[in-house]
Amino acid sequence: MGRYILRRLLQLIPVFIGTTFIIYSLVWAIPGNPFAGMCGPRGCPPAFIEQMTQEYNLDKPLPVQYVLYLGQLFSGNFGQTFNGIEVSTLIQNAYPVTLKLATIALVFEAVIGIAAGILTALRGKGFVDNLVLAATLFLIAVPVFVSGFVIQVVFGVQLEWIQPSVGSDPTIGQLIAPGLVLGSLSMAYIARLTRTAMFENKRADYIRTATAKGLKPRRVVSVHMLRNSLIPVITFIGTDFGALMGGAIVTEGVFNIHGIGGLVFDAIKTQEGVTVTGVVTLLVVVYLLMNLLVDILYAALDPRIRYD
Amino acid sequence: MSATDDSTGGSSESRLLEVEDLHVEFRTREATANVLNGVGYHVDAGETLAVLGESGSGKSVTAQTVMGILDTPPGFVTKGAIRYRGEELLSATEDRRRGLRGENMAMIFQDALSALNPVYTVGFQIAEQFRFRRGMSRKDAMAKAAEMLDLVKIPNAKQRVKEFPHQFSGGMRQRAMIAMSLALDPDLLIADEPTTALDVTVQAQIMDLLDELRRERGMGLILITHDLGVVAEVADRIAVMYAGRVVEESDAESLYKRPAHPYTEGLMESIPRLDQKGEQLASIKGLPPNLANIPEGCPFHPRCHRATDECRRKVPELLELRPGRYSACHFAEELISSE
Amino acid sequence: MTNAGEGQQRILAAGAYAEGEIEARQQGESGDELPGTPEPHQPPKQEKQRGLWGDAWLELRRKPLFIIGSVIILLLVAISIFPGFFAPGDPNAQNLTLARQGPSADAPFGYDSIGRDIYTRVIHGARASIVVGVLATLLTVAIGSLVGLFAGYFGGKTDSFLARFAEIFLGLPFVLGAIVILSVFNAGIQGAPGTIRIMLQVILTIGVLAWPISMRIMRSAAIAAKQQDYVNAAKALGASHTRIIFKHVLPNCLAPVMVYATIALGQFVGLEATLSYLGLGLQYPVVSWGMMISDSQQYIISTPHMLLFPAGFLVITVLAFVMLGDAVRDALDPKQR
């Protein structure tokens, strides 16, 4: 097991380097002058350009710049923005909010999605199944910015059940509606995934064996069917966490949540390359670590997976 | 019309299991398939009944209906009776039937790899029955599970209960399956092609084990197979099925000596034999009938070399020709008294 | 995977097997059955063998999901080819005196904040959504399938290299990645960008980020297909890799990729709208639903029709593609039935 984890960890290194390098080169290799349009219509003062060039080694070839940047990053230095604010401070303020939001979304999608999937599988083809299928179809079809908008206006502005604009330092309660919006698409996927896996396993030979042993239907379902069906679902939930954090940008925009999505979005608009690369690198790390966790979990849940 | 009522002379109450005129349909959107069309057989305690037939003859479906694990839909019982020690099962409550499963009747399946749950240890799956049917503690149940593995001659049983099905060899897996089915000491065991997925040498070991366990425990054993060779050594009686009916029933010895149905004849001619070197192996021509559209008359007539106009019109009944020998063929008398 | 049997039938039919044997094989995987007696299907199928695609078509024609989805899509395609036929006006024509007027007989969907006719704009916005969705899907599936096919077929080092390469792109957060890429593209624009350039940017961005998903699907399908006997047979007969890949492996991997493609189409239409909503995707002079929804933001309370109609069209379009994808998946993947 230890060796398996180590091997997976080693495999992640080239992926980490590749992904962050792409982002780095995209941000800094913007065609033309990286400072064009950065400091407003009058252009950047030459002193600033010189300082940045030196700090980020912009006069060296791109790969060298990247390696030097990574070195800085690993020693905990995320750099400074144009205004001299530490990027690490910005990230420290924004990260917990997005983390909270993504966790709420994850809990919602897992609980509701799995419950709906199990329900349809148990009831069999019929009204409930069709209802859940139609609901998931709808959730998949409505883009997050539309559903976020509608919920904001209906529940926030007209009914005043929720706060339409969350602002900085939100409570868990304020993040519930945005979390539901963020998790809605994955919720639909999880419901369908659970349903499909349950339907497939329902006909499996070992379910017939369990029934033939005279076990109560509840035990057959909760022990024999569920465990096997949840393996793909848990895999999905794990990899989805990274996607939720990176995908929160739209939801955060709609509900005015000051998370990393907004941070990156503003940074891209003002061409704050340092902020963009810092945040995206952190997101990539989260994504890769969640993938590693899923691999380990998978091996733990399915004894047929070999560690070699 | 069924063979079971008056064969071997026993009364209904002494019968371990009796299946009578069982009809099962498989309903799909396109068509309805008549999978069972009046199956009847019986098993007594301590006896081995071999049920023989091609895939699709309905032998497994009959067994699943007996156990109460037929998938509904698509399968529906439309007619007939199943009696366990005289108790009618088709009208019994689901709770009662579940109570019988494992406790009184158990089943082992062809492919033990897929019949065992891949994510739980073999021991867990055996112990489950002790825990939830006998109320034993987790630890006691596990010890009993190891005992069961020991009973089916799996070496090093105490260690192997902790292993997963995929860590067992094919033969060992089937032994574990047998151990699981016998956990609650049932008096009827249904083995659905228990050796088909195994190597030839292992096949014999498993058959010997089943035979031995049946004798020791006085169980009734229904052995479902398509392999006449397997049947020869262990079966007391044989029921041959075709298109959802029993077409011949007999004690094993007489059937081997002189089959009383052309289909059985065909089955026997298609086994390779050492004393017929060089001869071409015979096969039954044609395909088994489409169960959604079974031919009129004797369902076997399109493939039968003896078929006459009568066969094409009239379904032959299963009749007793000699004591304990039944056949559903218009030419049964001719066949049985030939040579 | 799903359609290994079909290829087997084709090979058998082409080979030197006797007629009866082919039929016997077609009945299903034969185990160690009685010699000379093939096993029947249970429950029996219809008499004629149709193969996967034929079966799928018959199944599809009966599905209400498929019929509704197809009708909507056909209508949308017609609208995007001939927008002038459905709405003859100029989508960018403004008349400030009409600004934010509600639906009326003249303008069934009303006017937006600067007096543009929403109906005309919604109709003309269909083209951008459909074109971007279709082309992005084609690009994604083409790159992903090709890479996946090679990775799955050759396996070993090629496979692990290509798999790692795909993971690099999977590691990029989708929306964030798209924003970064698009802002790079946009930074390179001098003066007013042309319609084609703007659309191409969005299509390329989606393609770059989404190809690894179809690559994974194709890869596992190719791994399953290459283990089939007919591939081994072709190898034994000395067929070249290229021939085996495109003649034998590819046709048997198409079903799962097709299923993905139909569902992806809907998602990409939604994604394009999201990017345009963020102000990074399509821009003036192109008319797009995402932009219209973005425009409606400040007026949502006073002028809800500004959001309602473009959002409604967007949702219905995505829904139609997802429904179609659902129906196709059910038809092509017998496991789900």
Side-chain angles (χ1 to χ4, degrees), chain B residues 56-131:
Chain B
S57 60
K59 51 199 196 317
S60 296
V61 173
T62 313
Q64 285 167 17
T65 314
V66 168
M67 289 294 295
I69 55 170
L70 183 70
D71 285 331
T72 308
F76 293 89
V77 178
T78 50
K79 199 177 158 192
I82 297 171
R83 281 185 289 273
Y84 170 77
R85 294 193 183 278
E87 180 186 348
E88 169 56 45
L89 295 186
L90 289 177
S91 55
T93 62
E94 179 48 36
D95 241 26
R96 171 65 187 148
R97 297 207 72 181
R98 191 179 59 74
L100 288 171
R101 288 199 284 269
E103 193 86 51
N104 301 72
M105 50 177 73
M107 186 157 172
I108 59 182
F109 300 91
Q110 174 179 340
D111 180 8
L113 183 60
S114 60
L116 291 168
N117 194 328
V119 302
Y120 294 109
T121 62
V122 169
F124 176 94
Q125 295 182 59
I126 300 173
E128 216 177 7
Q129 304 186 76
F130 294 119
R131 283 167 63 198

Side-chain angles (χ1 to χ4, degrees), chain A:
Chain A
M1 187 78 179
R3 274 184 56 194
Y4 170 77
I5 296 172
L6 192 69
R7 201 172 50 99
R8 289 297 296 148
L9 207 58
L10 288 178
Q11 281 179 343
L12 292 184
I13 292 173
V15 178
F16 170 79
I17 292 175
T19 312
T20 46
F21 182 69
I22 288 179
I23 285 294
Y24 188 88
S25 21
L26 279 174
V27 170
W28 289 106
I30 288 175
N33 180 358
F35 301 104
M38 188 165 171
C39 319
R42 273 170 296 149
C44 297
F48 172 72
I49 292 183
E50 196 170 316
Q51 187 206 331
M52 288 296 277
T53 308
Q54 210 168 21
E55 191 169 339
Y56 294 101
N57 308 292
L58 297 181
D59 47 347
K60 303 209 171 72
L62 198 66
V64 178
Q65 283 179 36
Y66 167 74
V67 171
L68 292 171
Y69 172 75
L70 263 197
Q72 289 281 314
L73 214 56
F74 279 119
S75 61
N77 181 11
F78 278 79
Q80 289 181 343
T81 64
F82 166 58
N83 297 327
I85 304 169
E86 286 289 330
V87 172
S88 50
T89 316
L90 288 177
I91 291 177
Q92 263 171 24
N93 289 336
Y95 228 77
V97 178
T98 303
L99 211 61
K100 250 192 252 174
L101 181 64
T103 310
I104 290 170
L106 203 70
V107 170
F108 269 127
E109 67 182 47
V111 172
I112 300 179
I114 292 176
I118 293 175
L119 190 70
T120 54
L122 290 187
R123 288 291 176 85
K125 313 234 166 192
F127 177 71
V128 177
D129 188 40
N130 286 333
L131 187 75
V132 170
L133 274 184
T136 56
L137 203 60
F138 190 70
L139 283 182
I140 292 172
V142 181
V144 166
F145 69 100
V146 173
S147 58
F149 236 172
V150 171
I151 285 186
Q152 184 186 35
V153 169
V154 174
F155 295 106
V157 178
Q158 290 182 330
L159 296 175
E160 292 183 16
W161 290 357
I162 59 165
Q163 236 168 302
S165 174
V166 173
S168 55
D169 201 18
T171 61
I172 302 273
Q174 288 172 315
L175 288 178
I176 283 183
L180 258 174
V181 170
L182 178 60
S184 61
L185 179 66
S186 300
M187 190 190 294
Y189 281 134
I190 290 174
R192 290 175 156 219
L193 205 58
T194 312
R195 171 182 173 273
T196 310
M198 292 282 281
F199 267 123
E200 228 167 75
N201 284 324
K202 214 174 182 175
R203 275 174 273 172
D205 284 355
Y206 56 80
I207 294 301
R208 177 178 290 170
T209 312
T211 313
K213 281 199 286 193
L215 297 174
K216 288 203 170 103
R218 248 179 62 198
R219 183 165 173 87
V220 174
V221 171
S222 64
V223 173
H224 287 275
M225 212 192 286
L226 202 56
R227 167 80 180 265
N228 297 277
S229 306
L230 285 187
I231 292 175
V233 178
I234 286 173
T235 313
F236 177 86
I237 292 175
T239 45
D240 199 40
F241 189 70
L244 284 176
M245 289 202 61
I249 183 164
V250 179
T251 314
E252 288 180 357
V254 170
F255 290 98
N256 186 28
I257 299 168
H258 299 302
I260 48 169
L263 184 63
V264 177
F265 192 60
D266 292 342
I268 291 172
K269 274 193 184 155
T270 53
Q271 300 206 7
E272 289 279 7
V274 195
T275 315
V276 178
T277 43
V279 173
V280 175
T281 304
L282 266 184
L283 281 176
V284 171
V285 170
V286 170
Y287 173 81
L288 292 179
L289 287 182
M290 285 311 286
N291 268 2
L292 182 69
L293 187 71
V294 163
D295 280 343
I296 297 167
L297 216 58
Y298 203 104
L301 284 174
D302 191 339
R304 286 165 297 182
I305 304 287
R306 268 167 293 160
Y307 301 127
D308 48 50

Side-chain angles (χ1 to χ4, degrees), chain B residues 260-303:
Chain B
H261 194 285
Y263 178 61
T264 320
E265 239 180 10
L267 289 182
M268 290 182 57
E269 278 164 12
S270 59
I271 328 176
R273 270 152 63 168
L274 286 174
D275 55 336
Q276 290 176 342
K277 224 187 259 173
E279 276 177 55
Q280 180 137 32
L281 209 54
S283 66
I284 306 172
K285 62 174 184 178
L287 297 170
N290 177 346
L291 293 173
N293 190 11
I294 295 175
E296 226 177 289
C298 173
F300 187 61
H301 83 251
R303 302 170 73 186

